[in-house]
Amino acid sequence: MTGFSAFSGFRRAVRLWFVPREIRAEGTTPDYRFSLANERTFLAWLRTALALIGGGFAVDQFLPDLRWGWRVGLALALLTTGVLCSLRAVNHWVRVERAMRRGEDLPVSRFPALLAVVVAVVAVAMAVVVLLGWEG
């Protein structure tokens, strides 16, 4: 796939985020229960993103005695993961909706594993900070 072709595919995917009626032009309408389940999954991903973003702000605001590098690093890890999670939510929703309409297998993703690893790494870092104390 050429660079232009990849960019064009990405642009089309993002366009579908904001013009979902174009998805209806593909395939046939799936059972509404599956579409609603897809939407509930989307909302669960958004709740996860909001929790990560809230955790990032909490680390920054409520741990002022934590060394600056630790505080900023942990906060940015959580905030960045929250942003990626929210973007992944809408991308996944579109991909699943299109697959259902086309009668294809549902798309697979490494993102849940990546998200789990990032959260685990941040949790271990926080455990280290708690065990060693956080005063600079």
Side-chain angles (χ1 to χ4, degrees):
M1 187 180 284
T2 66
F4 179 75
S5 175
F7 178 73
S8 178
F10 174 76
R11 206 174 78 211
R12 170 154 168 71
V14 171
R15 177 175 165 71
L16 289 175
W17 296 0
F18 299 101
V19 190
R21 72 177 174 269
E22 287 186 13
I23 296 172
R24 290 185 180 171
E26 297 185 34
T28 59
T29 303
D31 185 326
Y32 72 91
R33 293 172 292 182
F34 298 121
S35 290
L36 292 174
N38 188 28
E39 187 174 328
R40 286 190 300 274
T41 302
F42 167 74
L43 294 172
W45 279 103
L46 285 184
R47 285 191 299 273
T48 301
L50 286 170
L52 289 163
I53 292 167
F57 279 115
V59 165
D60 184 56
Q61 294 299 306
F62 297 118
L63 300 176
D65 295 334
L66 186 61
R67 287 187 181 152
W68 182 85
W70 275 101
R71 191 178 82 236
V72 170
L74 293 171
L76 286 177
L78 290 168
L79 290 167
T80 301
T81 305
V83 167
L84 292 174
C85 190
S86 66
L87 294 174
R88 179 66 180 125
V90 69
N91 185 57
H92 185 72
W93 175 80
V94 167
R95 290 175 60 215
V96 168
E97 196 66 28
R98 290 177 77 195
M100 287 189 303
R101 296 185 73 78
R102 294 173 175 173
E104 300 172 350
D105 289 341
L106 296 181
V108 296
S109 173
R110 291 185 191 105
F111 187 79
L114 176 65
L115 178 63
V117 168
V118 169
V119 170
V121 167
V122 170
V124 167
M126 289 300 297
V128 167
V129 167
V130 168
L131 289 172
L132 299 179
W134 54 51
E135 297 210 19

